[in-house]
Amino acid sequence: MTVMLKRLTVIALLSGILSSCRVNNGDIGDYFGSWLLYDMKVDGETPSDFDGEQTFWEFQNNIVMISRVMFMYECDSRVGTWKETDGELLFDFTHHDDNNPAGTSKYRAPEWIGMVSDEIMHLTFDSRSPDRMTLSWHSPDGQLYTYSLRKIW
């Protein structure tokens, strides 16, 4: 009887492990995971306050979280939605909840990398592979932002 119980336990554990899912609500392909913003240019120049080891983009389902990790692991995270369409990545930071108006608190765009909360942003792919991508975007004041990302997980 103990051998049978052990076999059933092993079968139950394997069933749980093999049927578990690591991606919530479907496969989003190469986007899933964490990406490091290792380079950023504004009109071809790297901003003096840019740190290539500080900003991370994380994709899951249709949610994007952009976080800045600062001194002693202090973290500032912003949450929006994303969608890929016609060679563009659309970012929307105009969301809200019961306590925060649209485009405020954790729903506002990460201003430290020049993004805005009052419109849906259209980022164009300059290059893309499963573990690297370069995107560009024109801000409302006409500046060209270029974001270079490397997948780290």
Side-chain angles (χ1 to χ4, degrees), residues 4 10 40 43 117 131 149:
M4 179 66 110
V10 169
M40 182 178 97
D43 291 332
S117 298
D131 62 348
L149 297 107

Side-chain angles (χ1 to χ4, degrees), residues 1-61:
M1 187 67 167
T2 30
V3 172
M4 179 66 110
L5 187 57
K6 286 181 182 177
R7 286 183 182 167
L8 287 174
T9 302
V10 169
I11 289 171
L13 287 172
L14 284 175
S15 296
I17 291 169
L18 295 176
S19 66
S20 67
C21 149
R22 70 175 187 97
V23 181
N24 185 21
N25 287 337
D27 182 16
I28 60 170
D30 296 331
Y31 294 111
F32 182 79
S34 295
W35 297 74
L36 172 66
L37 178 63
Y38 68 89
D39 191 30
M40 182 178 97
K41 304 273 191 231
V42 181
D43 291 332
E45 301 290 327
T46 302
S48 60
D49 61 345
F50 176 73
D51 184 337
E53 297 180 356
Q54 197 176 55
T55 301
F56 301 87
W57 298 18
E58 296 169 310
F59 295 87
Q60 184 170 358
N61 193 3

Side-chain angles (χ1 to χ4, degrees), residues 31 59 62 81-85 88-92 121:
Y31 294 111
F59 295 87
N62 68 332
T81 54
W82 70 278
K83 174 171 71 169
E84 180 187 3
T85 180
E88 291 185 324
L89 210 59
L90 294 118
F91 280 2
D92 183 355
M121 301 172 50

